[in-house]
Amino acid sequence: MKILEVDSGTNLNHILNEIKNTSEDGLELTSVPETDLLENPINRAIIEKVAKEHKKEIVFPSTDIEKAPEVEEDDLGFVEGEDVFQKAPIQEAHKIIATAAVASAKPARSSKFNLPKLFKNKWVWVGVGVVIVLSLLVGSFFLLPAASVAITPKAESKDTQVTLTGITASKDPDTGTNTISYKSAQVSKDGVGESSTTGKKTIGTAAKGRVTITNQDTDAAKTFVAGTLISPISVPNSTSVPSVTFKIDADVSLDKAPVGGETSAGVNITATKAGSDGNLPANSIFKVGTSSTTFVFAKNDVAFAGGESKLATVASAEDREALKKSIIDKLEEQAKGDIEKKQKGSVVVVDSYETTVTKETYDPKAVDAETDTLKATVSIDVKAAYVNKDDLNKIVINSLKESAKGYNVKEEDLKITLTQSSKDESGNIKMIAKVQAQLTPGISNEELQRHLAGKSTEEAKKYLDSVDQIAAYKVTTTPFYFRIFGRMPFSASKIKISYQ
């Protein structure tokens, strides 16, 4: 016979299941003092009924209990010879019990689960709560706190130069030979400009007249072609001879002079310069070409006229060049901006720009034309070499690290200007990288974290003050309530090091 102890955690269903499932010939029920399940006569009647159906013996506790009222007329929903657990699920037993309970003079007690007596004491729960709170506090003290340390290293400025070779082939930068690939970019620009003219020129009309050329040479005839120069050697009523020259307008031929006589021919002449200096009076005497005035001379019978002049402002060749240069300078600046804008992430070689003038027109068209204003339209093509900025930084930083071991290069503060020193026939160029860099001493993050972990805030600051490579720092701990402890996190991994 199986012994089953009935306590506050046992309900009627448990007992009925044990009756059905036990392999023993019956159950001996024992009860703890706090349990009143077996004191209910209805419960006892049901237990006896089920035991009888399963041909099992049932033994109740030996304490005196109230005898259950006989219920001969009511079979409590059971049919003799039928297994109630096969007829309906065990959950239906509660309905059967409820039906029987209604007929009973003493209602059955609830079969709800009852906590052990120990946990009915409120101070036990208070103690459990205190333990949980303390555990959370201790856990948060070691796991939640974090700190950030923003460090400003002692920076050191360094200006240097790095020589590079630019090649047209597309290759990765070679830090061993300082070789870098470069490309060319080209833009076309058009521009107009206007400027005031500064050229000065005497302009006007040249004096004109007619002279008679006389040949007194009895030995030779004389011939003078158009354009032969003649110049005055005597001017009436003048103490000086003006420095003006004339040219004959047509060819002139004179026979040799007869003995004691002369030959002559008339021809029109024009002064070689505009101006009133050519308006010579009548009876002026002229030397003709290189002939000696002893045998050949010219004379005007009528005064020359028409010579006028003035000093005018003109568009000189120098004015043109100055205006052209100013337009090109502006266009080149625009072209440089366009090239740099289009080639993002690149560095342009500053003196690799090649400018070609493709068109230029001027108004007025003629050089030295009288005008106060000169206008011009100029078209140019601008070509320049450029390199990838990351490739250039890679070579420069590698060079700096080799020359300044133990220091780090602040790439964001790196300033590089590229100039071109030469270019060979194959298109390879030599470049000089002028570098302005900020070097910071190498600081081990792991070492800093190790020295700071678990230290008080004051100890952490003293340590950071003692590191020569650090110029300034800022320590921030989280969460905010952890700051009242004045301590760094115990875990080094919770300390974040950053640089500014």
Side-chain angles (χ1 to χ4, degrees):
M1 181 172 289
K2 182 178 179 179
I3 298 175
L4 177 65
E5 182 179 78
V6 178
D7 57 21
S8 60
T10 306
N11 58 35
L12 183 60
N13 284 343
H14 294 157
I15 299 174
L16 299 181
N17 276 325
E18 285 293 335
I19 294 173
K20 174 185 176 182
N21 296 324
T22 184
S23 59
E24 302 288 338
D25 58 353
L27 288 181
E28 179 180 352
L29 302 179
T30 63
S31 177
V32 297
E34 293 84 3
T35 304
D36 56 2
L37 175 65
L38 300 179
E39 294 177 3
N40 189 324
I42 300 299
N43 292 344
R44 291 171 63 91
I46 292 173
I47 293 171
E48 290 175 342
K49 182 72 174 178
V50 172
K52 180 179 179 182
E53 292 291 332
H54 288 275
K55 296 181 174 58
K56 299 290 178 69
E57 183 181 354
I58 192 76
V59 178
F60 291 100
S62 58
T63 55
D64 292 333
I65 58 173
E66 181 181 348
K67 184 177 181 180
E70 294 185 3
V71 189
E72 296 179 357
E73 301 285 339
D74 191 354
D75 59 4
L76 302 178
F78 296 104
V79 178
E80 185 174 355
E82 185 179 27
D83 190 345
V84 68
F85 292 95
Q86 293 178 355
K87 179 180 179 181
I90 191 63
Q91 290 83 350
E92 298 297 321
H94 291 291
K95 298 179 181 179
I96 300 173
I97 297 170
T99 303
V102 169
S104 174
K106 184 178 181 180
R109 296 189 180 183
S110 172
S111 61
K112 293 183 180 179
F113 175 78
N114 294 318
L115 289 173
K117 185 175 181 180
L118 174 65
F119 293 102
K120 294 181 179 180
N121 190 325
K122 67 177 181 179
W123 294 109
V124 172
W125 290 107
V126 172
V128 171
V130 171
V131 171
I132 292 174
V133 171
L134 290 176
S135 299
L136 291 175
L137 288 176
V138 172
S140 65
F141 187 81
F142 285 94
L143 299 178
L144 291 182
S148 63
V149 182
I151 293 175
T152 303
K154 290 181 180 178
E156 187 174 301
S157 298
K158 184 175 180 63
D159 295 341
T160 187
Q161 291 186 351
V162 180
T163 302
L164 303 97
T165 299
I167 59 175
T168 55
S170 180
K171 293 183 178 180
D172 292 333
D174 188 340
T175 56
T177 60
N178 289 355
T179 301
I180 189 172
S181 296
Y182 80 91
K183 295 181 180 180
S184 296
Q186 179 175 305
V187 296
S188 298
K189 305 296 289 184
D190 301 311
V192 296
E194 182 177 313
S195 66
S196 299
T197 55
T198 61
K200 299 296 181 181
K201 183 180 180 181
T202 300
I203 62 174
T205 56
K208 293 179 178 293
R210 187 173 180 82
V211 296
T212 298
I213 300 177
T214 299
N215 180 19
Q216 295 178 344
D217 190 347
T218 58
D219 295 328
K222 305 294 181 182
T223 298
F224 302 100
V225 298
T228 299
L229 295 179
I230 68 174
S231 56
I233 57 175
S234 174
V235 177
N237 303 319
S238 178
T239 57
S240 61
V241 179
S243 59
V244 62
T245 57
F246 299 82
K247 59 183 179 178
I248 63 176
D249 296 337
D251 296 344
V252 178
S253 296
L254 296 94
D255 294 334
K256 64 179 180 178
V259 178
E262 59 185 16
T263 58
S264 63
V267 66
N268 293 330
I269 65 172
T270 302
T272 56
K273 294 193 304 182
S276 59
D277 290 347
N279 296 331
L280 297 180
N283 299 318
S284 296
I285 305 300
F286 301 87
K287 175 184 176 180
V288 182
T290 59
S291 299
S292 171
T293 56
T294 304
F295 297 106
V296 180
F297 61 91
K299 179 183 177 183
N300 63 331
D301 296 325
V302 179
F304 297 158
E308 296 180 355
S309 65
K310 66 176 182 178
L311 185 63
T313 301
V314 297
S316 65
E318 291 79 8
D319 290 334
R320 284 191 172 200
E321 287 301 315
L323 179 57
K324 175 182 175 181
K325 184 179 183 304
S326 68
I327 296 174
I328 290 176
D329 288 344
K330 292 179 181 179
L331 294 179
E332 284 180 337
E333 286 300 317
Q334 295 174 9
K336 291 177 182 179
D338 289 348
I339 290 175
E340 292 175 358
K341 185 177 180 180
K342 290 179 180 179
Q343 308 306 323
K344 291 183 178 179
S346 301
V347 177
V348 179
V349 184
V350 293
D351 53 358
S352 69
Y353 288 95
E354 298 176 4
T355 301
T356 303
V357 178
T358 58
K359 183 180 179 181
E360 56 182 306
T361 59
Y362 299 92
D363 181 22
K365 295 181 179 180
V367 178
D368 288 341
E370 182 180 7
T371 180
D372 292 328
T373 303
L374 175 65
K375 298 179 181 179
T377 300
V378 180
S379 300
I380 64 171
D381 289 338
V382 179
K383 184 178 181 181
Y386 67 91
V387 301
N388 181 273
K389 185 176 181 179
D390 291 338
D391 291 348
L392 179 61
N393 286 354
K394 184 176 181 180
I395 292 177
V396 169
I397 290 174
N398 181 74
S399 177
L400 288 170
K401 286 183 176 179
E402 289 184 354
S403 61
K405 294 187 181 298
Y407 283 82
N408 298 322
V409 180
K410 297 180 71 175
E411 187 170 351
E412 65 275 12
D413 293 333
L414 200 60
K415 295 181 180 179
I416 305 175
T417 303
L418 272 182
T419 59
Q420 177 179 309
S421 59
S422 65
K423 186 174 185 179
D424 60 25
E425 295 179 355
S426 63
N428 294 337
I429 59 177
K430 292 292 183 183
M431 297 177 288
I432 302 296
K434 296 181 179 179
V435 182
Q436 291 181 328
Q438 293 291 318
L439 304 180
T440 58
I443 302 175
S444 170
N445 288 358
E446 292 76 11
E447 184 178 352
L448 290 177
Q449 291 170 325
R450 181 170 56 84
H451 280 87
L452 294 174
K455 297 291 192 301
S456 68
T457 305
E458 291 302 317
E459 289 173 334
K461 290 181 178 180
K462 287 181 180 179
Y463 168 71
L464 294 172
D465 288 336
S466 69
V467 180
D468 292 336
Q469 297 95 325
I470 297 177
Y473 59 85
K474 181 180 180 181
V475 179
T476 305
T477 56
T478 57
F480 68 92
Y481 59 77
F482 184 71
R483 298 172 190 167
I484 62 176
F485 299 106
R487 186 164 294 279
M488 299 293 288
F490 288 91
S491 174
S493 63
K494 291 288 187 176
I495 302 175
K496 180 182 179 181
I497 307 295
S498 62
Y499 295 89
Q500 58 187 8

